[in-house]
């Protein structure tokens, strides 16, 4: 494949790739570097890309692998996360306990997109990667598996656990912002 063909495939995915890289790295410079390194690697590896398949997922896999390789194993794994305190339907149970009239969805509706993004970005890395691709970039499970280089079952498992942790983070954010008030028994 020639350079022009490669660039025509790469150009449409750069915005999504940068946004994803920014959320992974946490800063502009590292995100730009990561996208640049992934672009160079993709161009060098273009012979492994099968024309007619999903270029975006193929490129995102390279970007994700570059991110993982850029971090030491210990830094990548981070602290152990307990899922014991993040039960199924955590958000809805907490809303009920707080006496929130209406639904927990009303609480979520009061959180802006930036708040939701920050909550996703606060997840431990293994859950953050799949959650960013799924919730913010609308990747399918299959595309996430390909981009992250993990089995489909692992994608499902990480999204399930990530949702639990995300519910807890969103509830805590709503409490901190005064969007729920147990004393008033409702949505603020």
């Amino acid at each position: 494949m020639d350079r022009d063909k490669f660039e025509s495939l790469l150009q449409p995915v750069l915005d999504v790739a940068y946004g994803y890289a920014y959320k992974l790295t946490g800063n502009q410079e590292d995100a730009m570097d990561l996208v640049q390194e992934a672009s160079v690697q993709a161009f060098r590896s273009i012979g492994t890309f099968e024309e007619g398949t999903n270029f975006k997922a193929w490129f995102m896999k390279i970007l994700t692998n570059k991110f993982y390789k850029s971090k030491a194993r210990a830094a990548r794994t981070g602290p152990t996360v307990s899922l014991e305190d993040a039960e199924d339907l955590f958000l809805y149970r907490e809303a009920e306990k707080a006496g929130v009239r209406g639904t927990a969805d009303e609480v979520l509706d009061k959180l802006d997109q930036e708040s939701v993004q920050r909550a996703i970005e606060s997840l431990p890395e293994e859950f953050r990667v799949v959650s960013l691709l799924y919730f913010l970039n609308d990747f399918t499970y299959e595309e996430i598996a390909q981009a992250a280089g993990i089995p489909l079952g692992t994608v499902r498992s990480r999204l399930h656990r990530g949702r639990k942790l995300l519910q807890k983070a969103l509830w805590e954010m709503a409490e901190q912002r005064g969007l729920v008030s147990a004393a008033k028994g409702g949505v603020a």
Side-chain angles (χ1 to χ4, degrees):
M1 179 179 303
D2 67 7
R3 184 181 185 100
D4 290 337
K5 175 72 173 169
F6 173 76
E7 287 179 4
S8 72
L9 292 170
L10 180 63
Q11 194 61 40
V13 302
L14 285 177
D15 287 341
V16 171
Y18 173 76
Y20 175 56
Y22 182 80
K23 288 170 181 68
L24 288 174
T25 63
N27 71 63
Q28 208 172 27
E29 293 81 22
D30 289 344
M32 287 189 294
D33 288 346
L34 182 59
V35 171
Q36 180 66 33
E37 290 172 18
S39 298
V40 169
Q41 180 65 43
F43 184 71
R44 288 181 184 155
S45 304
I46 196 64
T48 64
F49 174 69
E50 295 178 35
E51 285 195 56
T53 62
N54 189 332
F55 181 83
K56 181 170 73 170
W58 180 81
F59 182 77
M60 296 300 258
K61 179 178 183 176
I62 292 170
L63 189 141
T64 302
N65 287 341
K66 281 287 183 191
F67 172 69
Y68 282 141
K69 288 177 183 177
S70 72
K71 302 182 97 18
R73 175 85 174 133
R76 190 176 75 230
T77 57
T80 303
V81 176
S82 171
L83 294 174
E84 298 298 319
D85 57 348
E87 61 192 66
D88 288 330
L89 302 175
F90 175 86
L91 194 60
Y92 296 93
R93 289 198 173 97
E94 287 301 308
E96 188 176 280
K97 281 189 227 172
V100 172
R101 286 183 292 243
T103 67
D105 288 332
E106 291 174 25
V107 175
L108 290 176
D109 288 343
K110 290 187 177 215
L111 292 171
D112 57 16
Q113 180 70 16
E114 186 177 315
S115 299
V116 175
Q117 285 181 2
R118 275 198 305 274
I120 291 173
E121 291 165 10
S122 74
L123 296 174
E125 186 174 305
E126 65 184 312
F127 306 115
R128 185 176 69 237
V129 167
V130 296
S131 295
L132 284 169
L133 291 171
Y134 184 76
F135 294 115
L136 299 181
N137 293 305
D138 297 323
F139 272 44
T140 65
Y141 285 14
E142 292 79 11
E143 289 173 327
I144 295 169
Q146 185 178 1
I150 57 177
L152 191 59
T154 303
V155 170
R156 288 186 177 114
S157 174
R158 288 184 184 174
L159 277 173
H160 176 73
R161 292 178 178 154
R163 279 187 188 105
K164 286 182 172 186
L165 294 170
L166 189 56
Q167 287 182 43
K168 186 173 183 195
L170 289 170
W171 182 259
E172 289 171 358
M173 191 175 290
E175 286 181 322
Q176 290 169 358
R177 293 193 175 183
L179 298 177
V180 287
S181 171
K184 293 180 185 173
V187 177

